[in-house]
Amino acid sequence: MKITFTILFIILVLISINQYTGWEPADLLPPQTVSVRPISEAELNASVQLVDIDEKIYRATPKSPSKWAAPLYGDQKTAVLINWKGSNRALLSPFKNLLRTPENSAVYKRNIYQLRGSFQTSARDSFKGFLIDNCGKQAACIINPRTRQAAILTKKDPSYMAAFFERYRNW
């Protein structure tokens, strides 16, 4: 009986961790290769936009351990994927595996936000609102706290994602 409750407790903890962070036990294994095709600069340029993060967002989002505030105040770039009601489910595995490669893991932190409902609330001009508005329906974003900008990838394709991470590594 104790063993059953222990196993059930461990499963519930793992499910909670997955829902909150997007991490799963498979993340402990070496990254799988993601098959990608070459993307030209013109193709990538057409699918990426840069957005400045306004000062009012910094004022409305205090520095805290919140997972929504962390990308603003980090010491390195953060790659963000928002899986809103399963809209980016197909990109979760390529996103994780691309960011677990040595060249990307040294440059990017990884945040996965799992949004279940169709309506999300956030404080006015907060970073959470900024992410939902700018990255919520897109493939991925890279937040650079040094330049106070977000690079937004609109094309939901692992090939574009790989080229996106490569291009913004030294940004």
Side-chain angles (χ1 to χ4, degrees):
M1 190 64 138
K2 287 182 182 182
I3 293 173
T4 305
F5 283 123
T6 303
I7 291 171
L8 184 61
F9 177 75
I10 291 170
I11 290 171
L12 290 175
V13 166
L14 290 175
I15 289 171
S16 297
I17 289 171
N18 178 266
Q19 288 179 348
Y20 185 73
T21 66
W23 287 88
E24 56 189 38
D27 292 332
L28 299 173
L29 302 173
Q32 296 175 351
T33 57
V34 178
S35 64
V36 295
R37 64 177 179 80
I39 301 294
S40 71
E41 280 296 312
E43 287 178 297
L44 188 59
N45 288 339
S47 64
V48 175
Q49 61 186 38
L50 283 177
V51 176
D52 291 328
I53 302 171
D54 293 331
E55 185 61 36
K56 64 184 177 183
I57 292 172
Y58 281 88
R59 286 192 303 268
T61 309
K63 189 173 183 176
S64 71
S66 163
K67 73 175 187 164
W68 289 99
L72 274 184
Y73 300 105
D75 56 344
Q76 70 185 113
K77 294 178 276 267
T78 302
V80 174
L81 181 124
I82 297 177
N83 189 22
W84 197 337
K85 293 175 62 178
S87 63
N88 282 334
R89 185 175 297 132
L91 292 176
L92 280 171
S93 181
F95 180 82
K96 290 177 183 181
N97 285 313
L98 287 168
L99 288 172
R100 290 174 54 219
T101 62
E103 59 273 5
N104 286 333
S105 65
V107 176
Y108 300 111
K109 289 184 180 177
R110 173 181 100 180
N111 275 11
I112 298 172
Y113 300 101
Q114 302 276 3
L115 302 179
R116 303 260 185 270
S118 59
F119 181 74
Q120 292 295 316
T121 60
S122 61
R124 186 170 203 267
D125 296 328
S126 70
F127 189 59
K128 179 179 180 180
F130 175 87
L131 282 177
I132 290 171
D133 292 344
N134 291 285
C135 303
K137 305 282 189 225
Q138 307 304 330
C141 292
I142 297 173
I143 308 302
N144 189 337
R146 292 187 181 123
T147 64
R148 293 185 170 206
Q149 291 180 309
I152 302 166
L153 177 66
T154 59
K155 191 81 167 175
K156 295 185 177 193
D157 182 315
S159 296
Y160 281 84
M161 192 176 286
F164 179 62
F165 290 148
E166 184 178 332
R167 175 195 270 175
Y168 287 96
R169 236 180 253 144
N170 297 319
W171 167 51

